Structures are given as structure tokens and as C-alpha cells.
Amino acid sequence: MDAKSLSIGIRIKVLEMVHRANASHVGGAFSMADILAVLYAEVLNIDPKHPADPFRDRFFLSKGHACSALYATLGLQGFFPLEQLDTYAMDGSMFLSHTSHKVPGVEISSGSLGHVLSIATGVAFAAKLKKATFKIFCIVSDGELNEGSNWEPIMLAPQHKLDNLVLIIDYNKIQSLGFVKDVIDLEPLRAKFEAFRWEVVEIDGHNHEEISRTLSGLSENKNGLPKVVIAHTIKGKGVDFMENTILWHYRSPNIDLYNNAVKQLNQS
Amino acid sequence: MRTAFINQLIEEARKNDKVFLIVGDLGYSVVEPFVQQFPDRYLNVGVAEQNMAGFAAGLALEGYCVYIYSIGNFPTLRCMEQIRYDICYHNLNVKIVAVGGGYSYGALGPSHHATEEIGMLRTIPNMVVCAPGDPLESKKITTFCTTHKGPCYVRLGKAGEPVVHTDLRELTIGDIIEVKKGETTAILSTGSMLKYVCDFVNDNHLNSAIYSFPFIKPINKSQLKEIFLNHRSIITIEEHQAQGGFGSAILELGNDLLNEGCIAVLPKIRRIAIDDKFYSIAGSQQYLREVAGIVLEKDFFQ
């Protein structure tokens, strides 16, 4: 599936999942949907039939609350039968509403913020140790950067020249209870990472061509610097009444809003 | 004890090229021999224990048998959630080694008193909790941990603990070590209390049995059952808070054995441990043990 179709498919599937389960976090799932679509359609080398292949690229999702978008991506890409997602967040389902490593294609469980970048850094270090050439991508949310634990691997990765590590920040500017700038302003974010000796690129996190070019190019650049992509995104991107609202961090769409949203996405 | 650990880890690393040692900027005059022999399998990740635990999880995901090493509360309490969620939930092959168990660093104060971590760690699924009693147990536990696939915690004393055992077989998970046979009372010791217990029994010519527990979780239940069947009185001793620690584990298992009909009566169990207090006074390990009431008394054996 091409990235454009995949990005629409992810959003429609996520809507269906969160509507059925009356679940949260659709806004944060939509803000990273385009990044996931491009990663899985164009950048990552992972065979859905062999998700444990040691040579595969590694993708780590740290903002585990937005896992509906990752599950939808993996389902649409054939890691498991898509209809299994009908059980999302239901009694007895393996599809927990925070990322579960029991799901085929998921590298690590996440849900407690500020954990996964350390793990991805460990994997990047191990790859260097083993002289393996696979790439390592990790998506962290903006609000998640409040967790001090993130800044420990941000300090460590340049020390060991982990240029095989690409951190993507889903910078949708809204966290759980408010706008990022009003809770703990991250700016100047680029300067923070530059000061920590990372190579920094800022992109429009909804422009597929830009995402693809950046993510493919960065991981080829063996310059001794870990890479961070600050992806400027829109929370709830793709559905007008969800975009840029704090409400849709938690809200689940009722049937009318669900129908309205699906209609908008089908026309996009 | 830490010397026995690092020497055995070198042996294990010779046999297993996946053994990797990470330190949190601690281990001066301990880890150097390992670093000299295996410079590519050692990393100092700095003073950042949450990252140390997560980073170790990453290496373990890639097939390494990862040891993380620091003092007392730092590789344990400081990163408890990374241990629970990243390491134990994923059942990853990470071994957490804390030097300075109990009041080993007595004079350094409560920041360095590791007196609660066993209770916390033993509640976490998949975690094996170890506290070797002398350098020989420390050596055998290191071999066990390297062979065991999954998370382990090892509480070490410091340097210079005396050897208690003359000889020790390889340990399997949950093993209880019979140190001395005896009647009526059995003293169950964990961690570096062992030497003190042996000396007390010898000096007072007591006919009590002594068992060392290098494993606090799990504990071999059938071995424990035999101890309960053969003694009317049990004393547990540990350098840890009474709530949730080794004595608690023994009480729980004793109660389970009773409930399951494996024993007809529960022996009298006296727990010697810290009584829900912090001690903000300087002192040697021995001094603080005495202040905290981690002592045996002859009256206990009448």
C-alpha cells in the first residue's frame, strides 16, 4: 500500500477502533499517522511475515497511548489479520490500549512515558557492537519530553556516536491537560538538541515527500551524530473538529462524530 | 563479596561472549580487571540509573546477557519502574547487581542504606531475588545468573566479607544451603548476615541449625517444608526492613505450606529485621545492625 492510502487507512481504522472501544488518544494517533504511513510504506525494511528477522529495521513507539495508530499500521501492512483489531481494548484482547509487545510487529511495550528512548539507545549501541546495519527509529511525543529520563539517553547517544539512531518528535504542541507552551515550553527545542550534540532536522510531519526524504536520508548519514527529526504536526490531523484541540486528546467519537470524521477522511 | 562477583563474572564472560557489564559511574577498584580483559563488553553509562536500566533492556533485546552494577538504592529504587516495566515485563536477560546491601555503607547515611529494595523487587513477576551469604555463594550466584534466562537481582555486601563455606556445589534456582545441622531451632539467614549467625552459634555452643538463603525469590518450597517439619522454632535474620523482606517471604511460604496441608503446625517464627525505621546516625555496619536490633540473643534459644 502506498503511503497516502496507508495514512488514510490508518486514520479510518483508528476511528473505528476508538469508537467501538470508547477509547481515548485519537488526537495523538492522528498527529503521527503520516509519519507511520511513510515509515512502513517507504522507509523501514521489515517483512510482515518475519517480524523477528534479526536484520530488520527497528521501530520503537514511546508514546504508547497512541498505539492504535501503530496497530492499524501493522494490521494494514499484513503483520496480522486486520479483523483482529475489532477486539481493540476489549475484554481478553491482546490489543491493549497502550502498546503491547504481544502484538506481531511491535518491538516493545510502552505506556509509561520516557522509557523507550533509553531502550532504543541500547539497541543502537548493540547494533554498533554487532556491526549490524539495521536502522533504529523511535517516536517520542512532545509532552513526553517533560520526563527527565528522556534527557539521560539524549546525553548518552552522542557520547557513543550512535548515528544509527533516529529520534522523531511528534511535536503536535498539545499535551494531556494543556498546550505544551503553557505547561513546560520546550522552546527553543532545536537549540536544546544542538546543544546536546544531535543532528537536528525540522519537518512538516504531514508532508509525505518531506518525511520520506528526511527519514531515508538521515539514516544513511554516517557522521557520528545521533539524529532527531522535530516533526511539526497537528493534533487530530485529518478531521476538522479534532484538529488542534485539547478535547480530542481523551475524547472518543460518538456515532455521529464518527460518521462525520470517516466522511472527511474518505474525501481527503 | 564484590571481588568474588567480578572474578566469577570474568570467568563467565570467557565462556559466554554475550556477557556485557554496565556501570553507573561506580565500581572503582572493583570492575577494573573485567574492563582490562573485556574492554568491548563494558560501558560506563554515567550517573543515570533510569537510562542504565532501559539501555540494558535494549542490549538484552539484541541478545546480550547484561549486568548492571551500582550501589544499593541506585540500580534498584532509582529505576524501579524501568526494572518492572522494561526489564521484568519483557522478561529480559538483565542482571541487576547492587553492592552495599543493608548497612554496608553505614556511615554514609540513609541515602546509602539499602534496606527496602528486597521487599520491592520480590513483588515483581519474573524477577529472581538473590542475596548471597559469603564470597563463595556470591561466586555461585554469578554463575547461576549468567545461565538463567531472565531478570535477576543480586544484593552484595561490600569487600572483605569472610568465607563461611569450605565448599559449595553449583546452585539451582531457589536452593537453600544447609550450613549446620541442629535441633529445636533453625536460624534462616540471608545475605551477609551469615557469618554473624555462624559466629553467634559457635561462640554460644548452640545446638541450632543454620540455613543460608542465597535466593529470597523463589525459595525451594520442599526444602523449606523439611526445615519446618524438623524444627519447633524458626528465627529469620536479614539486614532489611521487616515488612516485605526475607522474613515476610518465609512467613508467607510457611502459611501456604500450612494451608496446603504440607505441614500440620507452623513452627514459632521470630523475625529479626529492621523495625520500620530510618537511622540517621553514623556508624559502622556492625554498629548500625546493633542499633537497628539485627542481633541474636541467647534468650531466643531457650
Side-chain angles (χ1 to χ4, degrees), chain A residues 97-115:
Chain A
S97 60
H98 283 77
T99 325
S100 172
H101 68 288
K102 307 288 180 185
V103 173
V106 172
E107 298 284 351
I108 198 91
S109 286
S110 60
S112 179
L113 298 176
H115 280 228

Side-chain angles (χ1 to χ4, degrees), chain A residues 26-142:
Chain A
V26 63
F30 280 16
S31 64
M32 66 170 188
D34 293 302
I35 298 166
L36 285 178
V38 173
L39 272 171
Y40 278 86
E42 297 176 12
V43 179
L44 295 172
N45 175 26
I46 310 175
D47 178 357
K49 301 293 171 233
H50 301 96
D53 182 337
F55 299 106
R56 74 192 181 282
D57 290 334
R58 310 303 199 251
F59 171 72
F60 295 96
L61 181 64
S62 192
K63 42 176 292 191
H65 54 281
C67 66
S68 57
L70 178 59
Y71 295 161
T73 308
L74 295 171
L76 288 162
Q77 290 294 91
F79 283 80
F80 49 81
L82 194 59
E83 61 272 17
Q84 287 187 2
L85 286 173
D86 294 351
T87 67
Y88 175 72
M90 303 287 183
D91 288 352
S93 175
M94 73 168 161
F95 295 96
L96 302 168
S97 60
H98 283 77
T99 325
S100 172
H101 68 288
K102 307 288 180 185
V103 173
V106 172
E107 298 284 351
I108 198 91
S109 286
S110 60
S112 179
L113 298 176
H115 280 228
V116 175
L117 185 57
S118 286
I119 298 171
T121 305
V123 169
F125 185 88
K128 292 271 183 186
L129 207 58
K130 296 195 282 191
K131 301 188 178 11
T133 54
F134 59 78
K135 301 164 197 156
I136 301 106
F137 294 89
C138 179
I139 296 187
V140 169
S141 79
D142 46 9

Side-chain angles (χ1 to χ4, degrees), chain A residues 58 60 96 99-101 108-112 115 118-119 121-123 125-126 129-130 134 149 152-153 156 160, chain B residues 18 20 40 43-45 47-52 54-55 57-59 61-62 64 81-82 85-86 89-90 92:
Chain A
R58 310 303 199 251
F60 295 96
L96 302 168
T99 325
S100 172
H101 68 288
I108 198 91
S109 286
S110 60
S112 179
H115 280 228
S118 286
I119 298 171
T121 305
V123 169
F125 185 88
L129 207 58
K130 296 195 282 191
F134 59 78
S149 55
E152 296 184 354
L156 186 72
H160 298 288
Chain B
K18 293 295 183 190
F20 195 97
D40 299 335
L43 191 67
N44 180 357
V45 294
V47 194
E49 293 80 11
Q50 294 181 76
N51 186 48
M52 177 164 73
F55 187 92
L59 274 172
L61 277 177
E62 293 300 324
Y64 289 90
E81 203 194 32
Q82 280 81 4
Y85 189 58
D86 302 339
Y89 178 47
H90 295 86
L92 293 175

Side-chain angles (χ1 to χ4, degrees), chain B residues 40 82 95 114 121 143 226 244 288:
Chain B
D40 299 335
Q82 280 81 4
K95 322 297 169 182
L121 289 163
T143 301
E226 291 305 313
L288 280 163

Side-chain angles (χ1 to χ4, degrees), chain A residues 9-265:
Chain A
I10 293 167
R11 288 189 170 92
I12 290 175
K13 197 72 204 167
V14 166
L15 269 179
E16 199 182 299
M17 289 157 65
V18 298
H19 167 65
R20 186 184 291 116
N22 194 26
S24 297
H25 302 125
V26 63
F30 280 16
S31 64
M32 66 170 188
D34 293 302
I35 298 166
L36 285 178
V38 173
L39 272 171
Y40 278 86
E42 297 176 12
V43 179
L44 295 172
N45 175 26
I46 310 175
D47 178 357
K49 301 293 171 233
H50 301 96
D53 182 337
F55 299 106
R56 74 192 181 282
D57 290 334
R58 310 303 199 251
F59 171 72
F60 295 96
L61 181 64
S62 192
K63 42 176 292 191
H65 54 281
C67 66
S68 57
L70 178 59
Y71 295 161
T73 308
L74 295 171
L76 288 162
Q77 290 294 91
F79 283 80
F80 49 81
L82 194 59
E83 61 272 17
Q84 287 187 2
L85 286 173
D86 294 351
T87 67
Y88 175 72
M90 303 287 183
D91 288 352
S93 175
M94 73 168 161
F95 295 96
L96 302 168
S97 60
H98 283 77
T99 325
S100 172
H101 68 288
K102 307 288 180 185
V103 173
V106 172
E107 298 284 351
I108 198 91
S109 286
S110 60
S112 179
L113 298 176
H115 280 228
V116 175
L117 185 57
S118 286
I119 298 171
T121 305
V123 169
F125 185 88
K128 292 271 183 186
L129 207 58
K130 296 195 282 191
K131 301 188 178 11
T133 54
F134 59 78
K135 301 164 197 156
I136 301 106
F137 294 89
C138 179
I139 296 187
V140 169
S141 79
D142 46 9
E144 191 178 358
L145 289 175
N146 294 174
E147 294 281 5
S149 55
N150 276 314
W151 298 91
E152 296 184 354
I154 291 171
M155 279 190 283
L156 186 72
Q159 184 71 30
H160 298 288
K161 301 183 170 46
L162 301 180
D163 52 15
N164 52 350
L165 175 64
V166 179
L167 165 63
I168 303 166
I169 295 168
D170 180 9
Y171 197 5
N172 63 31
K173 322 288 189 295
I174 293 176
Q175 54 192 96
S176 181
L177 287 188
F179 290 95
V180 168
K181 67 177 168 47
D182 298 329
V183 181
I184 297 178
D185 195 347
L186 294 175
E187 291 302 331
L189 190 54
R190 167 186 274 271
K192 283 188 174 68
F193 276 97
E194 283 172 348
F196 278 83
R197 296 181 289 145
W198 284 59
E199 181 179 345
V200 188
V201 183
E202 294 190 60
I203 62 167
D204 170 355
H206 301 301
N207 180 324
H208 289 196
E209 194 278 324
E210 203 177 340
I211 299 168
S212 182
R213 182 164 31 87
T214 305
L215 296 183
S216 304
L218 271 181
S219 43
E220 299 302 328
N221 189 358
K222 302 294 172 205
N223 59 356
L225 299 176
K227 320 296 192 308
V228 57
V229 176
I230 300 174
H232 294 278
T233 58
I234 294 168
K235 197 144 189 165
K237 170 74 179 176
V239 175
D240 58 8
F241 58 85
M242 291 182 180
E243 288 188 1
N244 275 325
T245 63
I246 293 164
L247 180 69
W248 286 94
H249 182 88
Y250 284 119
R251 197 169 185 192
S252 184
N254 64 24
I255 187 66
D256 292 337
L257 292 174
Y258 167 75
N259 286 332
N260 180 337
V262 171
K263 193 171 153 198
Q264 287 185 40
L265 289 169

Side-chain angles (χ1 to χ4, degrees), chain B residues 11-28:
Chain B
E11 292 303 313
E12 300 300 328
R14 283 201 187 108
K15 287 182 277 181
N16 179 348
D17 66 3
K18 293 295 183 190
V19 169
F20 195 97
L21 174 64
I22 299 176
V23 301
D25 204 35
L26 286 167
Y28 182 73

Side-chain angles (χ1 to χ4, degrees), chain B residues 122-142:
Chain B
R122 80 180 187 88
T123 62
I124 305 177
N126 293 333
M127 178 62 94
V128 176
V129 179
C130 313
D134 84 334
L136 205 51
E137 287 187 29
S138 176
K139 175 179 152 80
K140 299 293 181 187
I141 280 291
T142 307

